[in-house]
């Protein structure tokens, strides 16, 4: 999905090298809101495994994880996801965006 200068797209197995420094540069602002930060730092391989698991959950209709990307330069800006945590037919939205953007 493209909106202006931003594109929201599914994660790709080739994304971890771009995602890794973004997460490692922003742990303090993420920590209060994103419980998964407690497991950081992950290796590139572990991050690739997570992206693969997100794809499995997507295909099962359980959760839908997206990368938020700057359309102009392809720079990774953050992430968002829709998760079936609030009700069987409901989705909640989680997101984070890098602090300098």
């Amino acid at each position: 999905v493209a909106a202006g200068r931003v594109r929201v797209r599914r994660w790709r197995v080739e994304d971890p090298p771009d995602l890794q420094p973004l997460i490692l540069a922003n742990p303090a602002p993420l920590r209060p809101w994103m419980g998964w930060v407690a497991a950081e730092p992950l290796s590139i391989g572990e991050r690739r495994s997570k992206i693969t698991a997100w794809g499995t959950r997507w295909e099962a209709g359980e959760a839908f994880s997206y990368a938020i990307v700057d359309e102009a330069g392809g720079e990774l800006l953050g992430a968002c996801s829709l998760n079936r945590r609030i009700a069987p037919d409901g989705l909640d939205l989680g997101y984070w965006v890098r602090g300098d953007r």
Side-chain angles (χ1 to χ4, degrees):
V1 174
R5 291 188 49 198
V6 176
R7 175 177 297 275
V8 178
R9 63 159 173 80
R10 285 182 75 168
W11 287 102
R12 302 173 185 151
V13 294
E14 60 268 15
D15 286 331
D18 295 327
L19 180 57
Q20 187 83 350
L22 185 59
I23 290 174
L24 297 180
N26 291 280
L30 292 172
R31 190 168 285 112
W33 309 103
M34 304 293 171
W36 51 263
V37 173
E40 294 296 336
L42 299 179
S43 70
I44 295 289
E46 290 169 319
R47 202 163 306 287
R48 193 167 280 121
S49 293
K50 283 209 172 279
I51 289 174
T52 300
W54 295 341
T56 301
R57 293 184 69 205
W58 182 300
E59 297 304 325
E62 298 170 355
F64 308 93
S65 297
Y66 301 87
I68 303 171
V69 180
D70 184 310
E71 184 75 350
E75 180 183 22
L76 185 60
L77 303 176
C80 61
S81 63
L82 296 167
N83 302 283
R84 293 197 187 279
R85 292 188 285 223
I86 57 173
D89 60 346
L91 295 167
D92 69 12
L93 172 68
Y95 70 93
W96 62 272
V97 178
R98 58 189 287 168
D100 63 346
R101 295 299 291 267

